[in-house]
Amino acid sequence: PFFINRGGLPVDEPTWERMWRHVGRIHPEGARVAQRIRGAADLPKIPIPSVPVFQPSTPIPERLEAVQRYIRELQYNHTGTQFFEIKKSRPLTGLMDLAKEMTKEALPIKCLEAVILGIYLTNNITTLDRFPISFKTHFSGNYFRHIVLGVNFGGRYGALGISRREELMYKAPIFRTLSELIFDFEEAYRRCWHTLKKVKLGHCISHDPHSVEQIEWKHSILDLDKLTREDFRKELERHARDMRLKIGKGTGPPSPTKDRKKDVSSPQRGQASPHQRNSRGDRRPSSEKKPADSKAMPDLNGYQIRV
């Protein structure tokens, strides 16, 4: 009971069931037509994008271009049906498993899926800082949301992602400050007749693919209707300083992984940044609310359940 995707690989039936339900609402005979097409033997083979593989000597900018090229080759998903269910509350290890599934199925993706893929494909670039950047814009009476993966290498900022608009996805790491990068996105939105309303910035993401930590998606929420231009710039640079401080001080011991079965203590987290803006984004796991008593500490099975 499985289907074959465009690369000839098996795809779990629930993914395609969701697509058939959507197709059936628009075209009652859609499932039958799709099955007839899929069973045709004379159709040309559609190539599967190859996951980029790097040599140790490959420069970081070239690696980022290759990752963006791969994301672009998967193509933007215009079907109206999201093929992969992404829950932002999942631990990083679960999201990395989902990213691996995306590379196997090679289906079109949207912006959030591109961010997860970008994290997965840059995990081995340990000198690269990655953090999520979310945008909320207004156009013609409606609000629109978009997300990209911000990157920082050698003190220069850029972004990875996918969008219907070429100027709202990849940004080479050439921007000297975080505010320059965000202002470039704002100008790109302006050319699309969108007004930027909010920017949400997360903290740096661990390079450990087995980490059970959750991604901090919105450490800072900046409402442009409530900030002057100069205040907006200052808040962006303050967030950049917060990330540098967090990286400089470290985040405590390595996060627990699925392989650490002998460790029964709760993971320690680094000190909260003094300039955190969003209380909801600063919520700690329930395990941190308990006193540091070894008898009260949860064992690793709790983390396995979360995963």
Side-chain angles (χ1 to χ4, degrees):
F2 60 83
F3 298 93
I4 305 299
N5 70 356
R6 67 180 180 181
L9 298 173
V11 181
D12 291 340
E13 186 173 3
T15 300
W16 288 100
E17 279 183 347
R18 289 195 298 271
M19 187 177 74
W20 295 143
R21 285 199 298 271
H22 178 76
V23 170
R25 287 195 296 267
I26 301 173
H27 187 348
E29 299 295 322
R32 188 179 304 171
V33 172
Q35 289 287 9
R36 187 168 65 249
I37 294 173
R38 294 170 71 82
D42 57 342
L43 296 177
K45 269 194 171 183
I46 299 177
I48 305 178
S50 299
V51 178
V53 178
F54 309 111
Q55 298 295 329
S57 59
T58 305
I60 303 301
E62 290 185 18
R63 298 191 192 190
L64 294 177
E65 289 180 7
V67 169
Q68 180 62 42
R69 189 161 51 247
Y70 173 78
I71 291 174
R72 192 194 307 266
E73 287 174 353
L74 289 177
Q75 300 181 16
Y76 189 87
N77 180 5
H78 293 278
T79 65
T81 298
Q82 191 156 347
F83 298 131
F84 304 97
E85 183 182 6
I86 297 179
K87 295 181 179 179
K88 290 183 175 181
S89 59
R90 291 187 69 182
L92 186 60
T93 178
L95 293 174
M96 294 302 94
D97 289 341
L98 183 58
K100 191 181 300 183
E101 181 185 347
M102 291 184 209
T103 61
K104 291 179 180 178
E105 297 188 3
L107 293 169
I109 58 175
K110 291 189 176 181
C111 58
L112 182 55
E113 294 156 308
V115 168
I116 302 302
L117 264 180
I119 297 171
Y120 174 73
L121 296 172
T122 57
N123 269 336
N124 60 347
I125 312 177
T126 55
T127 56
L128 183 73
D129 300 328
R130 298 91 43 86
F131 56 98
I133 307 174
S134 302
F135 302 98
K136 180 181 179 181
T137 61
H138 183 264
F139 170 72
S140 187
N142 296 309
Y143 289 95
F144 299 85
R145 289 169 175 81
H146 181 47
I147 186 169
V148 296
L149 181 66
V151 296
N152 180 10
F153 170 71
R156 301 283 175 164
Y157 290 88
L160 299 171
I162 198 168
S163 170
R164 296 181 181 91
R165 297 282 187 170
E166 184 73 21
E167 57 268 35
L168 295 175
M169 37 200 291
Y170 176 66
K171 302 288 183 182
I174 59 174
F175 298 91
R176 294 176 300 172
T177 63
L178 177 59
S179 57
E180 286 185 7
L181 173 65
I182 301 302
F183 291 159
D184 188 82
F185 271 106
E186 183 182 27
E187 178 59 28
Y189 269 119
R190 189 176 292 115
R191 292 194 296 269
C192 299
W193 306 98
H194 280 238
T195 302
L196 187 59
K197 290 294 185 180
K198 281 186 179 181
V199 176
K200 298 178 183 179
L201 301 161
H203 253 314
C204 290
I205 300 166
S206 170
H207 285 270
D208 180 4
H210 304 295
S211 171
V212 297
E213 293 182 353
Q214 296 178 351
I215 296 175
E216 190 173 0
W217 297 96
K218 43 187 178 181
H219 178 78
S220 300
I221 300 178
L222 308 181
D223 190 336
L224 274 69
D225 289 336
K226 299 179 181 179
L227 294 171
T228 65
R229 189 70 173 177
E230 182 61 20
D231 288 340
F232 182 40
R233 186 192 64 77
K234 288 180 179 179
E235 291 298 324
L236 290 171
E237 295 313 314
R238 180 173 294 173
H239 182 85
R241 287 196 301 272
D242 284 351
M243 289 195 293
R244 289 196 297 270
L245 286 173
K246 187 172 183 179
I247 295 169
K249 293 181 179 179
T251 55
S255 60
T257 67
K258 292 185 287 188
D259 297 330
R260 296 180 191 163
K261 297 184 178 179
K262 295 182 180 180
D263 184 7
V264 296
S265 61
S266 174
Q268 298 179 4
R269 298 183 62 180
Q271 296 295 324
S273 170
H275 300 296
Q276 291 176 349
R277 286 289 178 268
N278 181 24
S279 59
R280 290 184 301 173
D282 302 333
R283 288 183 294 187
R284 296 180 177 180
S286 58
S287 60
E288 287 194 352
K289 296 180 182 178
K290 298 181 180 180
D293 183 5
S294 59
K295 295 182 180 179
M297 291 295 182
D299 60 17
L300 193 59
N301 290 330
Y303 294 108
Q304 292 174 335
I305 291 173
R306 287 174 57 194
V307 173

